[in-house]
Amino acid sequence: MSLTSSTKNPYREQLEKLPEVFTLPETRRILGYSPTTANQTLSRWMEKGLIDALAPRSGVYFNLEKNKYAREQNLRLAITKKYPVSRIIGPHVLVNYGWTTQIQQYMTLALNLPPIKGSTSSTNGYLSVPEVEFQYRSKKWWQAAIVDEAKRNKKNIYIQGFESVSPGFALVDMWMNKDLSWFPDADDLHLEDAPDAAQDILQACKLLGVDPDPLFAAIEVDPYYLGLSDNPFCS
């Protein structure tokens, strides 16, 4: 037997049949494994570093034998297998549009699925994915987000493969949840190069039913330099 064949990864043929991102059911279907065999095989591959799990007990895996950068390059696809509908919110959106330079280590994704407490979830009721924080948003919020999407400039709509809300919508959402997450101080924001910022924020306030005056006071911006004489929340 040659040295090459004797040192060949015995699992390579199986892993080559699987895509770069796959699930437990896909493993069973593609490889024809029973539930017990599939679970045992996946555990063995995890131990050998041939695959990586999206999160503990998520049932979604990255095929590192096929692509060692599978996690970095396919994170959105993996998350979509568990949470089909999501939007990037929070600081990443503001940074993407140049509204701030204050970035957090993880992305924040809004979901339309409420959290579920259980053995497969973290303390907030969602999968514990190191790169992402998941937050639930209501049906009313999603209806507003869809309208925001229809009205917005399509530039920079995707961040790391995920669809994002507009920066104005992201800022108003952060204001609504400031008791739970970070909200930028006036010094953290750089809106001088964003001439449509005030208009974007006002539009988001209307969509989300938020009084804009306290928000604008907090970030020390006068929205009415655009010629808007009335508080749109009260119109």
Side-chain angles (χ1 to χ4, degrees), residues 216-234:
F216 280 116
I219 62 176
E220 300 177 9
V221 169
D222 181 1
Y224 307 117
Y225 73 85
L226 293 176
L228 299 172
S229 58
D230 297 321
N231 179 334
F233 181 76
C234 300

Side-chain angles (χ1 to χ4, degrees), residues 74-86:
N74 297 284
L75 184 62
R76 184 200 63 80
L77 175 59
I79 289 176
T80 300
K81 287 182 177 292
K82 299 299 293 187
Y83 306 121
V85 179
S86 67

Side-chain angles (χ1 to χ4, degrees), residues 51 68 152 184 190 193 226:
I51 62 174
K68 64 180 179 179
R152 66 183 294 191
H190 310 288
D193 295 325
L226 293 176

Side-chain angles (χ1 to χ4, degrees), residues 3-224:
L3 178 62
T4 301
S5 61
S6 64
T7 58
K8 182 180 179 181
N9 181 349
Y11 306 112
R12 179 168 295 171
E13 183 178 350
Q14 298 156 301
L15 286 163
E16 281 296 322
K17 295 178 181 178
L18 296 171
E20 292 186 11
V21 177
F22 63 93
T23 63
L24 173 58
E26 288 171 336
T27 304
R28 293 180 53 195
R29 176 175 56 81
I30 294 173
L31 300 181
Y33 287 167
S34 67
T36 300
T37 300
N39 280 303
Q40 291 175 344
T41 301
L42 290 170
S43 296
R44 191 177 304 118
W45 288 347
M46 284 286 294
E47 292 173 359
K48 293 181 176 296
L50 301 174
I51 62 174
D52 186 23
L54 172 64
R57 297 177 296 278
S58 64
V60 180
Y61 301 90
F62 298 97
N63 190 339
L64 304 182
E65 176 67 19
K66 209 165 195 177
N67 178 4
K68 64 180 179 179
Y69 302 111
R71 186 179 190 98
E72 293 88 339
Q73 296 176 359
N74 297 284
L75 184 62
R76 184 200 63 80
L77 175 59
I79 289 176
T80 300
K81 287 182 177 292
K82 299 299 293 187
Y83 306 121
V85 179
S86 67
R87 292 288 187 280
I88 282 193
I89 57 176
H92 270 73
V93 179
L94 304 186
V95 170
N96 193 57
Y97 282 84
W99 285 26
T100 187
T101 57
Q102 301 294 321
I103 190 65
Q104 59 189 21
Q105 293 183 340
Y106 53 84
M107 295 182 293
T108 304
L109 282 181
L111 301 178
N112 66 341
L113 296 176
I116 301 175
K117 302 295 183 180
S119 59
T120 62
S121 63
S122 63
T123 55
N124 72 344
Y126 294 108
L127 292 176
S128 182
V129 178
E131 302 93 334
V132 179
E133 175 191 39
F134 298 109
Q135 293 185 8
Y136 171 71
R137 292 295 183 268
S138 67
K139 181 179 180 180
K140 181 180 179 181
W141 185 95
W142 280 97
Q143 291 171 337
I146 291 172
V147 176
D148 173 71
E149 178 184 348
K151 292 183 176 182
R152 66 183 294 191
N153 186 329
K154 299 301 181 182
K155 182 180 179 181
N156 298 337
I157 192 171
Y158 291 96
I159 303 174
Q160 298 184 34
F162 294 90
E163 188 170 345
S164 77
V165 298
S166 68
F169 199 94
L171 186 66
V172 175
D173 177 72
M174 293 169 71
W175 173 254
M176 295 171 67
N177 295 278
K178 63 184 181 298
D179 293 336
L180 302 175
S181 303
W182 175 77
F183 183 80
D185 295 326
D187 292 341
D188 296 323
L189 293 171
H190 310 288
L191 304 182
E192 58 274 6
D193 295 325
D196 297 329
Q199 182 66 64
D200 291 346
I201 295 169
L202 284 168
Q203 175 179 288
C205 284
K206 273 188 166 183
L207 291 174
L208 291 167
V210 172
D211 186 345
D213 287 343
L215 168 56
F216 280 116
I219 62 176
E220 300 177 9
V221 169
D222 181 1
Y224 307 117

